[in-house]
Coordinates of all heavy atoms in Angstrom, one line a residue:
Y98 N -2.1 12.8 -5.4 CA -3.0 11.7 -5.5 C -3.6 11.4 -4.2 O -4.6 10.7 -4.1 CB -2.2 10.5 -6.0 CG -2.0 10.5 -7.5 CD1 -2.1 11.7 -8.3 CD2 -1.7 9.4 -8.2 CE1 -1.9 11.7 -9.6 CE2 -1.4 9.4 -9.6 CZ -1.6 10.6 -10.3 OH -1.4 10.6 -11.7
L143 N 5.4 4.7 -12.4 CA 5.6 4.2 -13.8 C 4.4 4.5 -14.7 O 4.1 3.8 -15.6 CB 6.0 2.7 -13.8 CG 7.2 2.3 -12.9 CD1 7.3 0.8 -12.9 CD2 8.4 3.0 -13.5
Q144 N 3.8 5.7 -14.5 CA 2.6 6.0 -15.2 C 2.8 6.2 -16.7 O 1.8 6.1 -17.5 CB 1.9 7.2 -14.5 CG 0.4 7.3 -14.8 CD -0.3 8.3 -14.0 OE1 0.0 8.4 -12.8 NE2 -1.1 9.1 -14.6
L145 N 4.0 6.5 -17.1 CA 4.2 6.7 -18.5 C 4.6 5.4 -19.3 O 4.6 5.4 -20.5 CB 5.4 7.7 -18.7 CG 5.2 9.1 -18.2 CD1 6.5 9.9 -18.4 CD2 4.1 9.8 -18.9
V146 N 4.9 4.4 -18.5 CA 5.4 3.2 -19.1 C 4.4 2.5 -20.1 O 4.8 2.0 -21.2 CB 5.8 2.2 -18.0 CG1 6.1 0.8 -18.6 CG2 7.1 2.7 -17.4
P147 N 3.1 2.4 -19.8 CA 2.2 1.7 -20.7 C 2.3 2.3 -22.1 O 2.4 1.5 -23.1 CB 0.8 1.9 -20.1 CG 1.1 2.0 -18.6 CD 2.4 2.8 -18.5
A148 N 2.2 3.6 -22.3 CA 2.2 4.2 -23.6 C 3.6 4.0 -24.3 O 3.7 3.7 -25.5 CB 1.9 5.7 -23.6
I159 N -1.0 -5.2 -22.4 CA -0.5 -4.3 -21.3 C -1.6 -4.0 -20.3 O -2.6 -3.5 -20.6 CB 0.1 -3.0 -21.9 CG1 1.2 -3.4 -23.0 CG2 0.7 -2.1 -20.8 CD1 1.6 -2.2 -23.8
G160 N -1.3 -4.2 -19.0 CA -2.1 -3.9 -17.9 C -1.5 -2.8 -17.1 O -0.2 -2.8 -16.9
F161 N -2.2 -1.9 -16.5 CA -1.7 -1.0 -15.5 C -2.6 -1.0 -14.3 O -3.8 -1.0 -14.4 CB -1.7 0.4 -16.1 CG -1.2 1.5 -15.2 CD1 0.2 1.7 -14.9 CD2 -2.1 2.3 -14.5 CE1 0.6 2.6 -14.1 CE2 -1.6 3.3 -13.6 CZ -0.3 3.5 -13.4
F162 N -2.0 -1.0 -13.1 CA -2.8 -1.0 -11.9 C -2.3 0.1 -11.0 O -1.1 0.2 -10.7 CB -2.8 -2.3 -11.1 CG -3.7 -2.4 -10.0 CD1 -5.1 -2.7 -10.2 CD2 -3.3 -2.1 -8.7 CE1 -6.0 -2.7 -9.2 CE2 -4.2 -2.1 -7.6 CZ -5.6 -2.4 -7.9
L163 N -3.2 1.0 -10.5 CA -2.8 2.1 -9.6 C -3.2 1.7 -8.2 O -4.4 1.5 -7.9 CB -3.5 3.3 -10.1 CG -3.1 4.6 -9.3 CD1 -1.7 5.0 -9.7 CD2 -4.1 5.8 -9.6
F167 N -6.8 7.8 -7.1 CA -6.6 8.7 -8.2 C -7.5 9.9 -7.9 O -8.6 9.8 -7.5 CB -7.1 8.1 -9.5 CG -6.7 9.0 -10.7 CD1 -5.5 8.8 -11.3 CD2 -7.6 10.0 -11.2 CE1 -5.1 9.6 -12.4 CE2 -7.2 10.8 -12.2 CZ -6.0 10.6 -12.9
Y173 N -6.2 16.9 -10.1 CA -5.4 16.4 -11.1 C -5.0 17.5 -12.1 O -3.9 17.6 -12.6 CB -6.0 15.3 -11.9 CG -5.1 14.7 -12.9 CD1 -4.2 13.6 -12.6 CD2 -5.1 15.1 -14.3 CE1 -3.4 13.1 -13.6 CE2 -4.3 14.5 -15.2 CZ -3.4 13.5 -14.9 OH -2.6 13.0 -15.8
V180 N -1.5 16.0 -19.4 CA -1.9 15.3 -20.6 C -1.0 14.1 -20.8 O -1.5 13.0 -21.1 CB -2.0 16.2 -21.8 CG1 -2.2 15.4 -23.1 CG2 -3.1 17.3 -21.6
E181 N 0.3 14.3 -20.7 CA 1.3 13.3 -21.0 C 1.0 12.1 -20.0 O 1.1 10.9 -20.3 CB 2.7 13.8 -20.8 CG 3.1 14.7 -22.0 CD 3.0 16.2 -21.5 OE1 2.0 16.5 -20.8 OE2 3.9 17.0 -21.9
L182 N 0.8 12.5 -18.7 CA 0.6 11.4 -17.7 C -0.7 10.6 -17.9 O -0.7 9.4 -17.8 CB 0.5 12.1 -16.3 CG 1.9 12.4 -15.7 CD1 1.7 13.4 -14.5 CD2 2.6 11.1 -15.2
L183 N -1.7 11.3 -18.3 CA -3.0 10.6 -18.6 C -2.8 9.7 -19.8 O -3.2 8.6 -19.8 CB -4.1 11.7 -18.9 CG -5.5 11.1 -19.1 CD1 -6.0 10.3 -17.9 CD2 -6.5 12.3 -19.4
R184 N -2.2 10.2 -20.9 CA -1.9 9.4 -22.1 C -1.0 8.2 -21.8 O -1.2 7.1 -22.3 CB -1.3 10.2 -23.2 CG -2.3 11.1 -24.0 CD -1.8 11.6 -25.3 NE -2.8 12.2 -26.1 CZ -3.6 11.5 -27.0 NH1 -3.4 10.2 -27.0 NH2 -4.5 12.1 -27.7
G185 N -0.1 8.4 -20.9 CA 0.8 7.4 -20.5 C 0.1 6.2 -19.9 O 0.2 5.0 -20.3
M186 N -0.8 6.5 -19.0 CA -1.6 5.4 -18.3 C -2.5 4.8 -19.3 O -2.7 3.5 -19.3 CB -2.4 6.1 -17.2 CG -3.2 5.2 -16.4 SD -3.9 6.0 -14.9 CE -4.8 7.3 -15.6
L187 N -3.1 5.5 -20.2 CA -4.1 5.0 -21.2 C -3.4 4.3 -22.3 O -4.1 3.8 -23.2 CB -5.0 6.1 -21.7 CG -5.9 6.8 -20.6 CD1 -6.7 7.9 -21.2 CD2 -6.8 5.8 -20.0
G188 N -2.1 4.1 -22.3 CA -1.4 3.2 -23.2 C -1.7 1.8 -22.9 O -1.4 0.9 -23.7
A189 N -2.3 1.5 -21.8 CA -2.6 0.1 -21.4 C -3.9 -0.4 -22.0 O -4.7 0.4 -22.5 CB -2.7 0.0 -19.8
D190 N -4.1 -1.7 -22.1 CA -5.3 -2.3 -22.5 C -6.4 -2.3 -21.4 O -7.6 -2.1 -21.7 CB -5.1 -3.7 -23.0 CG -4.2 -3.8 -24.2 OD1 -4.7 -3.5 -25.3 OD2 -3.0 -4.2 -24.0
L191 N -5.9 -2.4 -20.2 CA -6.8 -2.4 -19.0 C -6.1 -1.6 -17.9 O -5.0 -1.8 -17.5 CB -7.0 -3.8 -18.5 CG -7.8 -3.9 -17.2 CD1 -9.3 -3.4 -17.4 CD2 -7.8 -5.4 -16.7
V192 N -6.8 -0.6 -17.4 CA -6.4 0.2 -16.3 C -7.2 -0.1 -15.1 O -8.4 0.1 -15.1 CB -6.4 1.7 -16.6 CG1 -5.9 2.6 -15.4 CG2 -5.6 2.1 -17.8
G193 N -6.6 -0.6 -14.0 CA -7.3 -1.0 -12.8 C -7.0 0.0 -11.7 O -5.9 0.5 -11.5
F194 N -8.1 0.1 -10.8 CA -8.0 1.0 -9.7 C -8.5 0.3 -8.4 O -9.2 -0.8 -8.6 CB -8.9 2.3 -9.9 CG -8.5 3.1 -11.1 CD1 -9.2 2.9 -12.3 CD2 -7.4 3.9 -11.1 CE1 -8.9 3.7 -13.5 CE2 -7.1 4.7 -12.2 CZ -7.8 4.5 -13.4
A199 N -12.3 6.3 -8.8 CA -11.1 6.6 -9.6 C -11.3 6.4 -11.1 O -10.9 7.2 -11.9 CB -9.9 5.7 -9.1
V203 N -11.0 9.4 -14.0 CA -10.2 9.3 -15.2 C -11.0 9.5 -16.4 O -10.6 10.2 -17.4 CB -9.4 7.9 -15.3 CG1 -8.8 7.7 -16.6 CG2 -8.4 7.9 -14.2
L206 N -11.6 13.2 -16.9 CA -10.4 13.8 -17.4 C -10.1 13.5 -18.9 O -9.7 14.4 -19.6 CB -9.2 13.4 -16.6 CG -9.2 14.1 -15.2 CD1 -8.2 13.3 -14.3 CD2 -8.7 15.5 -15.3
R225 N -8.2 2.9 -30.2 CA -8.2 1.7 -29.3 C -9.3 1.9 -28.2 O -9.6 3.1 -27.8 CB -6.9 1.5 -28.6 CG -5.7 1.2 -29.5 CD -4.5 0.9 -28.7 NE -4.1 2.0 -27.8 CZ -4.2 2.0 -26.5 NH1 -4.7 0.9 -25.9 NH2 -3.9 3.1 -25.8
V227 N -9.7 1.4 -24.3 CA -9.0 1.1 -23.1 C -10.0 0.8 -22.0 O -10.9 1.7 -21.7 CB -8.1 2.3 -22.6 CG1 -7.4 2.0 -21.3 CG2 -7.2 2.7 -23.7

Side-chain angles (χ1 to χ4, degrees):
Y98 283 16
L143 303 172
Q144 200 168 316
L145 297 176
V146 167
I159 303 170
F161 178 80
F162 189 84
L163 187 68
F167 191 89
Y173 184 87
V180 172
E181 293 99 320
L182 279 164
L183 185 60
R184 280 195 169 275
M186 181 170 59
L187 295 178
D190 296 286
L191 174 66
V192 179
F194 304 98
V203 169
L206 284 163
R225 296 183 303 109
V227 181

